Amino acid sequence: MSFFRTVSALSKLRSRAVQQSSLYSSVRWLQIQSSPEQDLRSQLKELIPEQQERLKKLKAEHGKVQLGNITLDMAIGGMRGVPGLLWETSLLDPDEGIRFRGLSIPECQRVLPAAFSGGEPLPEGLLWLLLTGKIPTQGQVDALSKELQGRAIVPDHVYKAIDALPLTAHPMTQFASGVMALQVQSEFQKAYENGISKAKYWEPTYEDSLNLIAQVPVVASYVYRRIYKGGKAIPADNSLDYGANFSHMLGFDDPKMQELMRLYVTIHSDHEGGNVSAHTGHLVASALSDPYLSFAAALNGLAGPLHGLANQEVLLWIKALVDEHGENVTTEELKDYVWKKLNSGKVIPGFGHGVLRKTDPRYMCQREFALKHLPDDPLFQLVSKLFEVVPQILTELGKVKNPWPNVDAHSGVLLHHFGLTEAKYYTVLFGVSRSLGICSQLIWDRALGLPLERPKSVTMEWLEAFCKKAA
Ligand SMILES: CC(C)(COP(=O)(O)OP(=O)(O)OC[C@H]1O[C@@H](n2cnc3c(N)ncnc32)[C@H](O)[C@@H]1OP(=O)(O)O)[C@@H](O)C(=O)NCCC(=O)NCCS
């Protein structure tokens, strides 16, 4: 790809952005005209007072109820099991896995609107559910889809900020930099500077959040095309829904890949509040940093190998295994390989979890997708073999609390099957989908007036003295 072709493709994309920008105000006007029943913001406005009352009542009537004991192990062990956060959009059960506003993944697959009968849930429907706690109608999802399209205008300086980085910069670095550059347009920051009242904080937070959710697929696909496709960016297709359009802008128009993207964005969107990215977003936002600042911080946490980067690590791990033993590796060879990795002090990526104690339902639904659409894929078969071999070995190791596979053990081979083979990009996809969960909760953080987060820290000396006194 020559430099000139690259530049011309990018400038086409940008001039389209300018044209879209001029349409933006009229699209927003039309949205304001849509019925309150189908307008997400109007629905939220109705819900917020009752939830504010609910929290006020909890605090007034039960504020001093003890939620458990904090042990020294918990304080020095990454705060495992400390119930110290309010997170309304989802709840994680160690055995059963995630529930989005009370609905399990199979339930979401059954009840949320899909692109066609029996298809995977549309991420827009999940976003509606996360924000309102209600299952949306097809009409509400269609209206939200259009609203997000209207908001998906990325300013030119964002592309320039990304272009300032070397092509060799990790995709997550480029993506997070793009999100930081989006911050320039924050409505919350402007409203705060203009002295907005506390009671209205949620409103510009809503605007920023919806804009951010709408714009991250554009930024993410720009990063992908810039690094791996010679800068040949693909404009949005507004006839498509959020997931399918993201797939399209990345360069994948296979209907099955579009379905995968809808499923991917839905199941990766939220995993209660204590995981590194969600907690980071919530913490940063508690300082009244706007959604862009908060979400960019969350992405930097997601980029760690023990968290979101694990999906990249899994595919690279599997490829290294294939390089050494081929695709038809025997069970014995596989066992030896896993032990060799463990004995060299490495973790097996895609297995284990900070909270879950059973196989992740996000793994299971991706496995079902693979069984339906790509049962003969050799890498899928390898993933299945790992499912048979690794848990037993991790159990034998003795110290691993959860030997079962997590979400990341599966996602890479599905993407690889449809041609998205660049493993280093995978965490960016995870980041796009996390915008739905993290931003939904940020809106509620501001609506509920949650305070600055400030847990107590202690020194080893403090702990020693405390324990001596307690003995
Ligand atoms: C997810 C993860 C970070 C959770 O960590 P955790 O809550 O501390 O997990 P545990 O309490 O079970 O850890 C106990 C021990 O088992 C080890 N362990 C946990 N999962 C392991 C794995 N997949 N492979 C090897 N060792 C593992 C830990 O490193 C720890 O060892 P240490 O005591 O020598 O430090 C961990 O399971 C892991 O590193 N998994 C691989 C990376 C991954 O898939 N991350 C994505 C998560 S969705």
Side-chain angles (χ1 to χ4, degrees):
M1 169 58 51
S2 82
F3 174 76
F4 294 105
R5 275 166 69 200
T6 303
V7 167
S8 113
L10 293 184
S11 59
K12 260 188 218 157
L13 185 78
R14 286 171 189 165
S15 72
R16 192 184 158 106
V18 173
Q19 280 167 23
Q20 283 176 326
S21 189
S22 63
L23 287 176
Y24 183 57
S25 46
S26 48
V27 170
R28 293 287 299 130
W29 183 84
L30 281 172
Q31 279 154 9
I32 292 160
Q33 297 301 300
S34 74
S35 76
E37 183 67 14
Q38 300 205 332
D39 177 48
L40 182 54
R41 187 176 162 136
S42 312
Q43 293 291 304
L44 264 179
K45 204 166 190 165
E46 266 179 40
L47 284 169
I48 285 171
E50 74 192 44
Q51 296 303 314
Q52 286 171 333
E53 273 314 300
R54 189 176 166 202
L55 188 67
K56 215 163 126 189
K57 190 163 177 265
L58 256 178
K59 203 175 162 196
E61 292 179 7
H62 306 290
K64 300 290 175 271
V65 170
Q66 290 211 342
L67 294 180
N69 288 322
I70 296 162
T71 62
L72 187 145
D73 273 347
M74 288 165 155
I76 61 173
M79 295 192 284
R80 293 289 187 288
V82 178
L85 289 169
L86 184 69
W87 193 269
E88 286 291 280
T89 48
S90 65
L91 186 67
L92 182 58
D93 180 88
D95 294 321
E96 196 193 32
I98 194 67
R99 279 186 178 267
F100 303 117
R101 292 281 188 175
L103 295 182
S104 67
I105 289 176
E107 284 166 351
C108 284
Q109 287 175 304
R110 264 200 309 279
V111 301
L112 288 179
F116 51 87
S117 172
E120 299 298 346
L122 290 165
E124 297 91 320
L126 196 268
L127 174 60
W128 188 288
L129 174 71
L130 291 176
L131 268 167
T132 66
K134 295 178 179 171
I135 298 161
T137 62
Q138 187 71 51
Q140 288 169 329
V141 166
D142 291 345
L144 181 54
S145 220
K146 284 271 157 287
E147 169 160 10
L148 291 172
Q149 283 168 9
R151 291 173 181 268
I153 313 298
V154 173
D156 202 36
H157 74 263
V158 175
Y159 300 117
K160 286 186 183 147
I162 296 170
D163 288 346
L165 292 165
L167 278 174
T168 49
H170 192 279
M172 279 300 277
T173 306
Q174 301 196 33
F175 181 46
S177 302
V179 171
M180 274 306 295
L182 284 174
Q183 191 276 339
V184 173
Q185 64 189 358
S186 170
E187 295 200 19
F188 181 87
Q189 192 189 43
K190 276 182 224 126
Y192 192 83
E193 280 168 8
N194 291 332
I196 188 177
S197 130
K198 226 175 175 178
K200 286 184 172 289
Y201 281 173
W202 78 268
E203 296 184 22
T205 303
Y206 176 89
E207 292 305 319
D208 281 355
S209 295
L210 273 265
N211 287 340
L212 190 152
I213 291 167
Q215 290 165 15
V216 284
V218 182
V219 175
S221 45
Y222 181 83
V223 169
Y224 179 74
R225 304 292 303 178
R226 175 174 187 252
I227 302 176
Y228 304 110
K229 305 291 170 187
K232 250 180 118 188
I234 300 173
D237 176 349
N238 283 346
S239 68
L240 298 173
D241 58 83
Y242 187 87
N245 193 28
F246 184 26
S247 180
H248 166 73
M249 289 187 289
L250 288 166
F252 302 94
D253 288 319
D254 180 341
K256 283 185 187 170
M257 176 64 167
Q258 295 179 347
E259 270 293 85
L260 175 61
M261 202 55 79
R262 293 178 187 119
L263 177 68
Y264 188 101
V265 174
T266 298
I267 64 171
H268 284 79
S269 60
D270 206 29
H271 217 226
E272 76 171 27
N275 63 79
V276 171
S277 54
H279 185 189
T280 306
H282 179 77
L283 168 69
V284 174
S286 83
L288 294 186
S289 303
D290 63 61
Y292 300 98
L293 296 172
S294 308
F295 185 65
L299 285 179
N300 291 328
L302 195 71
L306 294 188
H307 188 25
L309 207 77
N311 56 7
Q312 150 185 327
E313 297 299 293
V314 168
L315 196 77
L316 297 177
W317 194 94
I318 290 175
K319 280 190 160 174
L321 167 70
V322 171
D323 283 348
E324 205 168 312
H325 292 286
E327 279 168 353
N328 297 319
V329 55
T330 65
T331 304
E332 278 319 302
E333 283 170 338
L334 195 53
K335 282 184 181 169
D336 287 348
Y337 190 82
V338 171
W339 274 116
K340 202 170 82 187
K341 293 290 163 194
L342 289 172
N343 292 335
S344 66
K346 293 183 181 135
V347 295
I348 308 301
F351 288 80
H353 198 271
V355 178
L356 281 169
R357 294 297 174 254
K358 292 270 166 66
T359 298
D360 193 336
R362 299 171 300 173
Y363 175 93
M364 287 313 289
C365 74
Q366 292 182 95
R367 178 171 165 77
E368 277 155 26
F369 187 94
L371 287 168
K372 187 169 162 191
H373 296 293
L374 45 129
D376 301 326
D377 182 282
L379 292 188
F380 165 57
Q381 287 175 356
L382 204 45
V383 164
S384 300
K385 226 177 215 172
L386 284 166
F387 190 22
E388 286 165 24
V389 165
V390 176
Q392 203 187 339
I393 295 179
L394 290 181
T395 305
E396 268 178 56
L397 199 62
K399 62 179 181 177
V400 182
K401 294 197 190 68
N402 175 34
W404 301 104
N406 59 54
V407 65
D408 297 320
H410 217 305
S411 52
V413 294
L414 298 180
L415 297 163
H416 189 273
H417 177 84
F418 292 108
L420 210 169
T421 55
E422 299 86 354
K424 283 197 168 179
Y425 184 76
Y426 290 172
T427 312
V428 176
L429 301 175
F430 198 162
V432 168
S433 68
R434 270 292 146 104
S435 69
L436 274 62
I438 292 175
C439 291
S440 295
Q441 181 59 42
L442 288 192
I443 295 167
W444 277 104
D445 288 355
R446 298 290 76 80
L448 295 171
L450 298 188
L452 180 77
E453 199 174 290
R454 192 5 177 138
K456 175 88 187 93
S457 71
V458 292
T459 60
M460 276 206 260
E461 192 186 359
W462 187 98
L463 284 171
E464 283 158 357
F466 188 91
C467 294
K468 208 166 157 192
K469 224 161 117 188

